[in-house]
Amino acid sequence: MAAADREFSPASSIALTVGSALLWGVAHLATGRRRIGLTLLGSYALLVATILSMVTLVGSDLLTLAVQPGWLTALTFMLLAIAAAWTVVIVWSYVLVRPDSSHPGRRIATIVAAVLCGLVVVPTVYAARLASVSRDVVTSLFTPSSAPIIADDPWNGRPRVNFLLVGADSAPSRPGVRTDSMTVASVDVATGATTLLGLPRNLQNVPMPPGPARQRFPSGFTGEPPYTPGLLNEVFQYAEDYPEVVPGVRKGYRGPTLLKETVGGILGIRIHHYAMVDMAGFAQIIDAMGGVRITIKDPIVYGKYREGLLPSGTRKLSGEQALWYGRSRTDSDDYVRMGRQKCLLNAVAKQADPMTVLNSFESLANATKRAISTDLPQNLLPAMVELAQKIKDTRIRSLNFVPPLISTAYPDYEFIKRKVEQTLADRPVNKTATAPGSRPQSTPQQSPERPLTLDEACA
């Protein structure tokens, strides 16, 4: 009997079908279809070699490809094509070697073939879905840019890049958005060494950047008296409400533009990019992660009507609890809250490991799209991924400009600039002067406290 006409037992059929799923062409060779079998075998070898070459040659660049929409689109279609081709091979192989229809073991062989198809299709289609969702996140969050990026120098020769990280909050009783958390992450692009510079929301008499904003507030930002007290956290919404202070900038971008320039002027550095997190959306991100583990030093009252208590100790917080951990000022103040917010961000970053992200990828992606806005362009994302890898290997320092280091009512802005300069350069400096028109401080006349690492600050 010729191999092509041979009848196969259920055991042989199952073995050849499984073999063909693992090594294309096995069933075809077993049935004497050498040309097709060798073609399938060669195609399989080419596919495996291509995948191994990509992993070997691209290696560490895989993460950078994962934030490029073009590559993500190509990966989606490639995975779907592989799933379709693999399924065809399994079904084709089974048809060639399936037992006679009268054989009682045929149903088992058919079930095995169907399971094999599922084992191929489900993870491959899921991976394609992840690639598609990733592309949607990238295109939704990050704007396209026509400006070319130099591969060897994506940061255009800058030794440091500064990101303004904003936590925004709003309430039904308070129209607009208040940026109650403002931190600048200044990153050394060569080493990834990062210093977080925190500014309190209630900073007063904030100097405005040159142009219409300074013309309107020549002596510092005063808001809209008597309706608002004129604090730093009002600048964002003021720019959105009064387009003339940021001419030529469209709605939705006026607030970030003026806030970046204002914060940069306070610190004496240029702010290159910003990322703003809606605090309610941040709670959804934490829930999608399955919670975040935090060490609470002192009990924290939470809830609008003091309906809850977060006891001291190390525990896993839900999104709502984490939101109040970072938001609550009951029995504390703005400055304690600023420190907790940094600890919360640090904990989320550390606990968002690959398995956690993968297990809740789609819900995390949806929450991220709702919670985050940024001006980081798409073509800078690969460089940002590489920079993030460097940051992970360094100890992040944190310096908050809060009392007693400064007075929020009468800030010495020249001192703030000098302190930022010496902190980023790691040179000791003392405060020796007081800005004109400001009141003298009691404690900052001595050497200011050194920046703490986040691990020290959150211990």
Side-chain angles (χ1 to χ4, degrees), residues 294-301 309-317 325:
I294 288 284
T295 297
I296 301 174
K297 297 179 181 179
D298 300 301
I300 298 171
V301 175
L309 181 72
L310 299 177
S312 59
T314 300
R315 63 193 71 258
K316 179 169 283 192
L317 305 183
Y325 170 85

Side-chain angles (χ1 to χ4, degrees), residues 51-342:
I51 294 174
L52 291 177
S53 297
M54 287 183 63
V55 173
T56 303
L57 297 177
V58 178
S60 60
D61 293 331
L62 284 175
L63 282 177
T64 64
L65 297 181
V67 292
Q68 299 182 49
W71 279 98
L72 290 170
T73 300
L75 179 62
T76 300
F77 284 106
M78 183 180 72
L79 289 170
L80 292 175
I82 290 175
W86 212 313
T87 303
V88 167
V89 169
I90 293 173
V91 173
W92 191 2
S93 301
Y94 169 69
V95 169
L96 292 177
V97 299
R98 62 186 173 185
D100 184 82
S101 58
S102 61
H103 201 293
R106 178 165 173 167
R107 176 174 294 182
I108 296 176
T110 302
I111 292 174
V112 170
V115 169
L116 290 172
C117 290
L119 291 175
V120 168
V121 170
V122 171
T124 312
V125 171
Y126 179 67
R129 172 64 180 168
L130 293 185
S132 178
V133 171
S134 298
R135 183 188 182 281
D136 183 48
V137 171
V138 169
T139 55
S140 298
L141 282 183
F142 306 99
T143 57
S145 175
S146 57
I149 296 292
I150 302 174
D152 295 335
D153 187 17
W155 305 110
N156 295 324
R158 293 191 289 263
R160 305 189 73 88
V161 60
N162 302 311
F163 302 92
L164 174 60
L165 310 176
V166 181
D169 212 350
S170 59
S173 59
R174 186 182 62 185
V177 172
R178 294 294 182 267
T179 55
D180 285 344
S181 173
M182 288 160 284
T183 300
V184 172
S186 184
V187 186
D188 186 308
V189 298
T191 65
T194 300
T195 300
L196 301 181
L197 305 168
L199 290 175
R201 70 178 186 93
N202 58 338
L203 209 58
Q204 298 183 38
N205 303 311
V206 175
M208 304 304 287
R214 182 172 295 179
Q215 292 170 12
R216 179 166 296 190
F217 301 105
S219 301
F221 182 72
T222 56
E224 300 177 90
Y227 307 107
T228 65
L231 308 179
L232 176 59
N233 71 337
E234 301 169 30
V235 170
F236 182 100
Q237 190 60 43
Y238 190 91
E240 290 294 332
D241 293 339
Y242 297 92
E244 62 272 16
V245 299
V246 195
V249 181
R250 70 182 188 271
K251 184 177 181 180
Y253 292 84
R254 295 192 289 261
T257 298
L258 185 60
L259 187 61
K260 282 168 57 180
E261 293 176 353
T262 302
V263 170
I266 294 171
L267 299 176
I269 58 179
R270 180 185 174 189
I271 306 298
H272 301 103
H273 301 286
Y274 89 97
M276 185 167 72
V277 180
D278 171 72
M279 296 308 292
F282 189 60
Q284 295 174 5
I285 292 176
I286 291 175
D287 280 333
M289 289 175 53
V292 60
R293 186 166 293 277
I294 288 284
T295 297
I296 301 174
K297 297 179 181 179
D298 300 301
I300 298 171
V301 175
Y302 79 92
K304 186 175 180 179
Y305 302 105
R306 301 172 64 100
E307 62 267 28
L309 181 72
L310 299 177
S312 59
T314 300
R315 63 193 71 258
K316 179 169 283 192
L317 305 183
S318 67
E320 181 183 4
Q321 291 172 331
L323 181 62
W324 281 103
Y325 170 85
R327 174 190 275 171
S328 177
R329 285 180 290 166
T330 304
D331 300 328
S332 62
D333 54 33
D334 272 333
Y335 318 120
V336 172
R337 180 174 72 165
M338 285 175 63
R340 290 202 306 264
Q341 288 168 352
K342 287 186 176 61

Side-chain angles (χ1 to χ4, degrees), residues 407-429:
S407 164
T408 56
Y410 303 96
D412 184 344
Y413 288 110
E414 291 305 314
F415 165 69
I416 292 176
K417 291 178 183 178
R418 291 199 307 274
K419 181 63 178 172
V420 169
E421 182 180 9
Q422 72 89 21
T423 298
L424 298 184
D426 261 341
R427 296 194 306 269
V429 69

Side-chain angles (χ1 to χ4, degrees), residues 7-26:
E7 292 185 3
F8 293 89
S9 67
S12 298
S13 174
I14 291 171
L16 289 171
T17 304
V18 172
S20 295
L22 299 175
L23 189 64
W24 295 0
V26 169

